Amino acid sequence: GEDVKPFTPEKTKEIVMSLQQPAVFCNMVGNWPALHWNVNYLSAMLEGKTIQFRLGLKTVDLVPQFETSCSYVEATLEEFLAWSCGQPSCLSGPFSCYDHSKYWAYADYKYIARIFEDKPEIFQDVRWSDFGFPGRSGKESTLWIGSEGANTPCHLDSYGCNLVLQVQGRKRWHLFPPGDTSFLYPTRIPYEESSIFSKVNITNPDLKRFPEFRNATAHVVTLSPGQVLLVPRHWWHYVESIDPVTVSINSWIELDADHEARVEEAITRMLVCAIKSAENPSDGDLWLNPTEVEATSHEINLQYLNKAVSAYLKCQETSESGQACSSSTGAKQRTNTSCKRKRREDGCEPGSCTLLTQERDFPTPKAEELQEIPFGPHLIRVLPQSHKTSVMGAVTIESDSGDRLHENEGEHFGKVLCKRERLVMNNNCETAAHQMDSDCGPCTSQTALSTNDLLDCLVNPRVISLVAQLLLERMRV
């Protein structure tokens, strides 16, 4: 018979669009063919096609290992699997310069629609319709393949909320609520649209430089195969693979609040590009994340800002007239303003992006209208570190009273503009591409203020939010 889910698609969508804290869905994807997408299966499907891997050092430092300080190689999944298993065949090939005991490798942000463009039938293996998003499949999803230790720097996404399916191996997630933003010392350098990074290496924090991090409240969970994590809007997250090989699939769900966020992102992009481009390029400051192709011109950024503001005002007009702001027309207008950061790879120009899915956004119910969230064995809350919970052995919430987040071994759980491409790869053996200062600014021994010092303050999310409000007020007059 047909697989029975603990929640209907309608109820699941209500939870996803309303719940403002991370939670893990269990027993929702048992019949998804995507659960068979281990690295061996994906390698056979790719038939020798190469993909890009980001390589970082396993050594723990006080400085976050941003993507600008990583190296990159092109390799097949077969070569990656052999390297991750420490096979002798890896003495030659793309991973030959990187000792498996010292490095991790991560194929992150891989758009399923792109890497399997010649096999569109595979898109239907991912069925987000079970979560209340009809028509959303692998075509609107991203693939992540990593070795043990592979990680994403702590950051928050400016747009949407996130659903993450764990397929192979386990990943440990460290999540922090939006209210902890000031404790995480946000920065926009390295710059990447819709990603706000933390200056703190949350697994080894420099509490002398970032003392307020002590006030941050981590929610730590280990995601296991078959589980789906909900990352609500603006929750900070640091993610690390804790098994030899991991595979994850995610999809970002757009929200009405993204309208204003796109205006803020447009302002940020305009300021960062203008100020950093004015510097001498020979200074060697890798301020642009490898996910960004180039520093776009002032004219292009101004067009982007105007489109974002127009889309925001259009949404406000339709809302005030009693129409649904998230109708297909409004949604298309919204997406035309800016592709989400994670969609940059599809390659779009301002005003030419198309909506990945045409379903109507689900309106967020008011608190008094929202029914009690049905937490239990099928929907597990990710609690703060001060609590430790284990439900049926499915999800482990880890706690630690110390200043450092210690690992408990054995327990883990649209961009605008051009086609996304990495910057020039650095394949120097045993050498990271570039090491930046922990706050992406000048060395502590310097006394003079640098461009980065000014920029860190100028594009602080609190400042940008105020500028956006003033700008929108000006447009309403």
Side-chain angles (χ1 to χ4, degrees), residues 32 34 37 108-116 122-129 131 133 135-144 162-165 167 248-253 342-343 345-346 356-357 420:
W32 287 24
W37 285 20
D108 49 0
Y109 301 120
K110 301 307 174 193
Y111 288 84
I112 294 172
R114 165 171 262 185
I115 63 176
F116 291 114
I122 201 175
F123 301 160
Q124 302 311 313
D125 288 3
V126 182
R127 303 172 178 175
W128 296 114
S129 57
F131 284 75
F133 302 97
R136 187 176 289 250
S137 64
K139 186 178 181 181
E140 297 82 30
S141 304
T142 312
L143 187 65
W144 307 67
N162 194 4
L163 288 173
V164 186
L165 165 65
V167 176
S248 306
I249 299 171
N250 87 294
S251 190
W252 283 274
I253 309 300
K342 311 306 185 282
R343 296 177 185 168
E345 190 166 300
D346 289 333
L356 293 183
T357 53
R420 171 180 170 177

Side-chain angles (χ1 to χ4, degrees), residues 310-443:
S310 296
Y312 173 87
L313 296 175
K314 179 66 174 178
C315 177
Q316 295 298 306
E317 290 174 5
T318 55
S319 295
E320 292 169 3
S321 64
Q323 298 176 6
C325 178
S326 56
S327 65
S328 59
T329 302
K332 185 172 183 179
Q333 171 73 24
R334 174 179 74 242
T335 312
N336 282 348
T337 310
S338 164
C339 294
K340 184 171 173 53
R341 168 206 187 262
K342 311 306 185 282
R343 296 177 185 168
R344 167 87 182 256
E345 190 166 300
D346 289 333
C348 42
E349 298 292 333
S352 66
C353 269
T354 54
L355 191 62
L356 293 183
T357 53
Q358 296 294 330
E359 79 275 356
R360 298 169 65 91
D361 287 343
F362 190 82
T364 303
K366 295 180 180 179
E368 60 270 18
E369 298 173 351
L370 180 64
Q371 297 180 6
E372 183 178 357
I373 299 294
F375 292 114
H378 305 297
L379 180 65
I380 303 171
R381 240 183 324 195
V382 179
L383 298 173
Q385 278 192 298
S386 57
H387 302 81
K388 186 165 184 176
T389 305
S390 182
V391 182
M392 300 176 62
V395 178
T396 303
I397 311 298
E398 302 174 15
S399 62
D400 185 353
S401 58
D403 287 327
R404 184 176 300 180
L405 301 177
H406 298 286
E407 295 183 358
N408 183 2
E409 294 300 326
E411 293 184 349
H412 293 274
F413 102 109
K415 287 266 189 186
V416 303
L417 312 172
C418 327
K419 168 181 173 182
R420 171 180 170 177
E421 296 173 355
R422 295 286 186 180
L423 296 179
V424 177
M425 313 308 172
N426 180 354
N427 291 325
N428 293 334
C429 299
E430 306 290 336
T431 304
H434 184 73
Q435 290 292 343
M436 300 178 67
D437 187 70
S438 61
D439 65 351
C440 304
C443 298

Side-chain angles (χ1 to χ4, degrees), residues 218-322:
H219 297 60
V220 184
V221 65
T222 297
L223 201 64
S224 298
Q227 297 173 342
V228 175
L229 173 67
L230 166 64
V231 182
R233 182 175 187 265
H234 286 182
W235 272 73
W236 292 83
H237 46 286
Y238 167 85
V239 191
E240 180 181 12
S241 297
I242 60 173
D243 280 332
V245 176
T246 62
V247 176
S248 306
I249 299 171
N250 87 294
S251 190
W252 283 274
I253 309 300
E254 293 183 349
L255 302 172
D256 283 341
D258 293 347
H259 288 291
E260 188 168 345
R262 285 192 178 89
V263 176
E264 295 177 359
E265 283 298 304
I267 296 170
T268 301
R269 186 182 192 92
M270 193 170 187
L271 291 173
V272 172
C273 287
I275 292 177
K276 293 302 292 183
S277 297
E279 285 191 322
N280 186 346
S282 63
D283 289 345
D285 178 11
L286 295 185
W287 63 273
L288 196 66
N289 216 44
T291 51
E292 296 287 335
V293 178
E294 60 185 354
T296 45
S297 70
H298 186 77
E299 181 181 4
I300 290 294
N301 290 334
L302 186 59
Q303 291 176 13
Y304 178 26
L305 174 59
N306 276 283
K307 288 178 181 292
V309 171
S310 296
Y312 173 87
L313 296 175
K314 179 66 174 178
C315 177
Q316 295 298 306
E317 290 174 5
T318 55
S319 295
E320 292 169 3
S321 64

Side-chain angles (χ1 to χ4, degrees), residues 4 64 155 194 240 250 281 287 351 453:
V4 178
H155 69 285
S194 85
E240 180 181 12
N250 87 294
W287 63 273
D453 293 322

